[in-house]
């Protein structure tokens, strides 16, 4: 395998978290990983996410503009690098504008593309926008499609994607389990009396919830924190547009504390201590079931229905009335809360990265052999 290399495109913190296990698995399999940092999340540190020491380039494309314009900028700035030193495979993860821009650049220069976390769908282009369009478009361009679940693979089959589809599990679970192994052990959660406030962690950042969604969420949290139903910690998002709004809504309010954006390790440590999580994050939807922490999903539709199907999550949106009903119901019925707290692993067993690495290694060998036959 000497001489083969795979380029990883990373624009956001979730991409870094989920691609780091795969970069290490590929290196262990003898395939050299290289890193392309788009800059979508300015200040993203490769070292903070287990990607230190990899050869890398930076495109300096902060994601502060329109997402479609950002994808175009990423494609434009990445293309000269791909032309100068084309990888044997370019890998993108998920559905960001960085991933879409990189996929388009690879396609335009005839560079093979692999899509990690392929096949997630809400089947609604507006929820989320533009992510649903992004992942559909990337799926049509990729030669290798790594679906985290059978349902995701079925979506790709139905769309008649031409790339080869592989059900691998989600590399985010690999990252979660590795993080848990590095944390101190915790005592089993004890049953709490029905009158005790719920310990709730909240994150909210998706574009579909900007404006009315955040306002109605705030109304519910202020009431729940104010009447003693819950002790609420709101973890701010790195996006300053969202963080500033959340700070203005919650700073100094009774029963609510604000936390600055934190590391993945610190966030996992905080989540596992919670009685309940409220979040619109895709990563949290994957992690909460594995941690055995009940989750209320702050969205009307989700591309991760497996979390709901296994009983660990409920899809509730951001309606103030609905949120008050759901949280107060769980606060009053601790047995229902306990049933949601049974750990489940709908998104994989923590071995997705070595599975994907093995598939990529085999694919590279096959591509090399096929090329040799054509030359003979």
């Amino acid at each position: 395998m000497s001489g083969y290399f795979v380029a990883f495109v990373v624009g956001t913190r979730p991409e870094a978290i989920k691609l780091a296990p795969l970069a290490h698995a590929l290196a262990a399999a003898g395939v050299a990983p290289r890193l392309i940092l788009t800059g979508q999340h300015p200040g993203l540190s490769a070292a903070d996410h287990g990607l230190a020491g990899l050869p890398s380039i930076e495109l300096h494309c902060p994601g502060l503009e329109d997402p479609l314009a950002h994808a175009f900028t990423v494609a434009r700035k990445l293309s000269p690098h791909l032309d100068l030193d084309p990888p044997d495979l370019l890998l993108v993860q998920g559905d960001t504008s960085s991933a879409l821009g990189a996929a388009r650049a690879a396609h335009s220069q005839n560079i093979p593309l692999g899509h990690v976390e392929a096949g997630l769908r809400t089947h609604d282009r507006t929820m989320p926008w533009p992510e649903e369009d992004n992942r559909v478009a990337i799926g049509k361009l990729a030669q290798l499609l790594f679906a985290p679940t059978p349902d995701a693979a079925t979506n790709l089959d139905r769309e008649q994607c031409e790339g080869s589809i592989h059900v691998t599990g989600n590399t985010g679970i690999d990252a979660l389990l590795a993080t848990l192994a590095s944390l101190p052990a915790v005592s089993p959660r004890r049953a709490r009396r029905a009158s005790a406030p719920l310990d709730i962690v909240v994150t909210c950042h998706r574009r579909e919830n900007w404006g009315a969604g955040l306002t109605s969420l705030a109304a519910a949290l202020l009431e729940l924190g104010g009447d003693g139903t819950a002790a609420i910690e709101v973890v701010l998002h790195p996006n300053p547009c969202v963080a500033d709004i959340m700070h203005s809504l919650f700073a100094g309010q009774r029963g609510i504390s604000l936390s600055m954006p934190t590391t993945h390790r610190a966030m996992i440590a905080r989540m596992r201590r919670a009685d309940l999580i409220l979040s619109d994050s895709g990563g949290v939807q994957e992690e909460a079931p594995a941690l055995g922490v009940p989750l209320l999903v702050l969205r009307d539709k989700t591309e991760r229905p497996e979390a709901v199907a296994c009983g660990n999550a409920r899809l509730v949106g951001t309606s103030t009335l609905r949120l008050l009903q759901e949280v107060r119901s769980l606060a009053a019925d601790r047995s229902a809360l306990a049933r949601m707290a049974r750990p489940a692993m709908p998104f994989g067993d923590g071995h997705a990265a070595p599975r994907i690495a093995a598939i990529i290694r085999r694919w590279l060998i096959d591509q090399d052999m096929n090329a040799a036959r054509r030359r003979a």
Side-chain angles (χ1 to χ4, degrees):
M1 295 297 294
S2 176
Y4 287 85
F5 82 91
V6 172
F8 288 74
V9 176
V10 173
T12 66
R13 189 180 83 146
E15 288 169 295
I17 291 168
K18 292 183 174 184
L19 286 177
L22 181 52
H24 294 298
L26 274 173
V31 180
R34 298 188 191 178
L35 188 60
I36 298 169
L37 297 170
T38 71
Q40 182 170 342
H41 278 178
L44 178 71
S45 168
D48 289 343
H49 297 91
L51 293 166
L54 294 183
S56 64
I57 60 171
E58 297 190 24
L59 302 182
H60 304 290
C61 303
L64 303 178
E65 56 187 320
D66 174 87
L68 301 182
H70 182 255
F72 175 81
T73 302
V74 169
R76 177 174 57 82
K77 289 195 173 183
L78 176 57
S79 291
H81 295 282
L82 297 181
D83 185 54
L84 181 66
D85 192 14
D88 298 291
L89 179 70
L90 186 139
L91 283 175
V92 298
Q93 192 279 330
D95 51 26
T96 67
S97 54
S98 288
L100 177 63
R104 287 175 172 169
H107 179 70
S108 69
Q109 295 179 242
N110 201 32
I111 292 172
L113 176 69
H115 188 195
V116 179
E117 199 177 86
L120 277 63
R121 301 288 186 269
T122 62
H123 308 289
D124 183 340
R125 293 183 62 192
T126 68
M127 290 190 178
W129 182 89
E131 288 86 352
E132 181 80 358
D133 282 350
N134 290 353
R135 53 195 175 219
V136 171
I138 295 169
K140 295 292 187 181
L141 299 176
Q143 284 71 45
L144 291 172
L145 295 153
F146 302 110
T149 66
D151 284 352
T154 297
N155 291 332
L156 296 168
D157 276 328
R158 287 174 178 165
E159 293 170 9
Q160 298 181 330
C161 292
E162 295 183 2
S164 59
I165 301 167
H166 308 269
V167 179
T168 60
N170 195 303
T171 56
I173 301 301
D174 297 33
L176 170 66
L177 296 183
T179 298
L180 287 174
S182 73
L183 291 172
V186 294
S187 301
R189 188 182 289 114
R190 295 181 179 179
R192 304 178 71 182
R193 66 183 188 279
S195 60
L198 290 179
D199 180 0
I200 296 180
V201 172
V202 180
T203 74
C204 187
H205 71 277
R206 299 195 73 90
R207 188 178 298 269
E208 65 200 75
N209 282 332
W210 293 8
L214 285 175
T215 301
S216 57
L217 168 65
L221 296 182
L222 290 172
E223 188 166 337
L224 294 167
D227 68 11
T229 299
I232 299 167
E233 180 179 357
V234 177
V235 181
L236 299 176
H237 191 264
N239 185 324
C241 298
V242 181
D244 290 348
I245 293 171
M246 300 285 270
H247 197 274
S248 67
L249 290 169
F250 298 119
Q253 297 296 328
R254 180 172 174 240
I256 299 178
S257 61
L258 295 175
S259 295
M260 297 303 293
T262 187
T263 65
H264 182 244
R265 186 174 188 272
M267 185 62 183
I268 294 303
R270 181 64 188 91
M271 285 169 59
R272 69 176 181 172
R273 299 196 308 269
D275 295 315
L276 180 66
I277 298 171
L278 278 62
S279 180
D280 60 5
S281 163
V284 171
Q285 290 179 65
E286 296 156 359
E287 293 160 344
L291 291 170
V293 182
L295 170 67
L296 299 182
V297 182
L298 302 173
R299 298 177 61 188
D300 295 318
K301 297 181 180 179
T302 180
E303 58 286 301
R304 295 170 174 86
E306 296 88 351
V308 177
C310 71
N312 295 90
R314 296 179 184 175
L315 199 61
V316 300
T318 55
S319 159
T320 300
L321 180 60
R322 176 73 185 276
L323 287 168
L324 289 173
Q325 290 173 336
E326 292 285 350
V327 174
R328 285 172 173 161
S329 173
L330 291 171
D333 187 354
R334 299 303 168 99
S335 62
L337 190 68
R339 288 193 295 273
M340 291 181 69
R342 294 168 183 161
M345 304 290 283
F347 300 103
D349 58 3
H351 299 286
R355 287 192 191 97
I356 295 172
I359 293 166
I360 289 173
R361 184 178 186 278
R362 182 71 257 171
W363 183 85
L364 289 171
I365 292 172
D366 289 345
Q367 293 295 109
D368 197 34
M369 292 177 64
N370 291 337
R373 291 192 192 100
R374 288 193 295 270
R375 290 193 299 268

